[in-house]
Amino acid sequence: MAPASRTAFAGLRRLWGGALSLVYPPTCAGCGGAIADPHALCAACWSGLRLIERPYCQRLGTPFAVDHGTGALLSPRAIADPPVFDRARAVTLYEGGARDLVHRLKYEDRLDLAPVLARMMEGVGSELLRDADCLVPVPLHRFRLWRRRFNQAALLAERVGRIAQRPSEPGYLARVKATRSQVGLSRVARATNLQGAFRVPEAARAALQGRRILLIDDVMTTGATANAASRVLLRAGAASVDVLTFALVSGEVG
C-alpha cells in the first residue's frame, strides 16, 4: 500500500472509531462502567490492583516491604535458589482485582481484556522489551488448548509485541507433555510436574540461536513454569531469557 493510501486509510479508521465511540461509549474492561478511553480500567478497578513498584528483587521482580538501600536488590530466595531466567517483571500482585481480570480472560473468554493487560505489561516491562529480540508465549499442551480454545499467553505476547514493535514467536516453544494442573502443588511438586514438558521444535532451532527471549505468561506463581521453559530455550541456543507476566503470586515467589 502506498504511503498516501496508508495515511488515508488510517484517517478513515480514526474517523470510524470516533463515530463508534459516540454510539458505543468506552467501558471499563473490569466492571463495565463508563470511561473516557477504550481498553482501559476505571479508577475504582485501578485501585483494586496492588501494583508492583520499586523497590523489588532485580531477579524475581518480587516487591520489598521497605527499601533496603541502593544498587541491585536481591530477595533471599533469589540468592538461595537463583532462577534459570535472568529477570522477571510483573504488573501487579495476583489477588483481588488482578485475579478477577486473569480469570475472566482465561475462563470466561473475555478476549477483550488482552489489550488492557498487554498495555500495562508493556509499561512495566519496557526495560526487558528494549533488550529482547522477540517474545515467546508459554505454550499450552494441545489437549488443553483444544478445551480452552485459545492460549491467553499467546494473546498477551501478540498484543505486547504489537505495542513494543517486537515479534511474537509462538513456534519457538512447544508443550509436549500433558501435565496435571499446577494448582495446589508445592514448589518442588510443580518443578517435578514440569520435567520434560517443553521442547523447542527442530524447525525453530536455527532461528532461535543467539536470540534474547522475553517469555510471556499471565501469572507467575512459584516460577517453576518459567524456569522449565527458560532451561529448554537456553539449552536450544537462546542467548538469554527474561520473563514478563501480568500478575505475580508474591507469597510463593518472593
Side-chain angles (χ1 to χ4, degrees):
M1 185 182 295
S5 299
R6 285 198 299 268
T7 302
F9 179 76
L12 287 172
R13 187 166 57 182
R14 286 193 296 268
L15 182 63
W16 175 246
L20 283 178
S21 67
L22 294 175
V23 180
Y24 304 104
T27 58
C28 171
C31 66
I35 55 175
D37 300 317
H39 305 310
L41 299 176
C42 67
C45 288
W46 262 110
S47 65
L49 302 178
R50 285 188 60 189
L51 301 176
I52 297 173
E53 300 176 336
R54 295 182 186 275
Y56 49 70
C57 173
Q58 294 299 305
R59 294 295 304 277
L60 297 172
T62 51
F64 292 109
V66 296
D67 194 338
H68 296 282
T70 59
L73 301 177
L74 298 177
S75 64
R77 185 187 161 203
I79 296 172
D81 185 20
V84 177
F85 50 85
D86 290 338
R87 300 168 294 178
R89 298 289 182 269
V91 174
T92 177
L93 296 182
Y94 185 61
E95 56 186 51
R99 184 186 294 110
D100 291 342
L101 289 171
V102 171
H103 278 219
R104 289 169 189 163
L105 172 63
K106 290 174 67 170
Y107 306 120
E108 298 179 16
D109 293 350
R110 285 288 306 278
L111 305 189
D112 58 300
L113 289 173
V116 181
L117 274 55
R119 183 190 296 182
M120 290 186 275
M121 290 170 66
E122 188 273 337
V124 303
S126 58
E127 180 183 2
L128 307 187
L129 285 160
R130 282 196 301 269
D131 295 339
D133 293 317
C134 63
L135 283 59
V136 175
V138 172
L140 293 176
H141 188 269
R142 62 181 183 275
F143 294 151
R144 186 165 296 175
L145 180 61
W146 178 79
R147 289 198 302 270
R148 192 174 292 171
R149 299 185 300 280
F150 68 93
N151 178 5
Q152 72 280 356
L155 285 177
L156 293 171
E158 192 275 332
R159 287 285 183 170
V160 173
R162 186 185 303 178
I163 298 170
Q165 298 184 330
R166 292 289 186 274
S168 177
E169 300 288 358
Y172 279 9
L173 190 64
R175 195 159 193 153
V176 295
K177 177 183 173 184
T179 56
R180 58 176 292 197
S181 172
Q182 296 277 77
V183 177
L185 298 183
S186 68
R187 182 179 292 116
V188 173
R190 284 171 180 260
T192 302
N193 187 42
L194 287 162
Q195 288 180 358
F198 298 108
R199 184 179 66 196
V200 173
E202 287 297 327
R205 286 182 175 268
L208 178 67
Q209 300 306 304
R211 302 201 82 181
R212 297 168 297 179
I213 305 298
L214 182 55
L215 192 67
I216 302 291
D217 207 355
D218 56 347
V219 180
M220 185 160 75
T221 306
T222 65
T225 299
N227 275 330
S230 298
R231 186 176 292 110
V232 168
L233 289 166
L234 291 168
R235 286 177 176 172
S240 64
V241 180
D242 290 324
V243 181
L244 178 61
T245 65
F246 172 69
L248 174 70
V249 180
S250 176
E252 293 187 298
V253 181

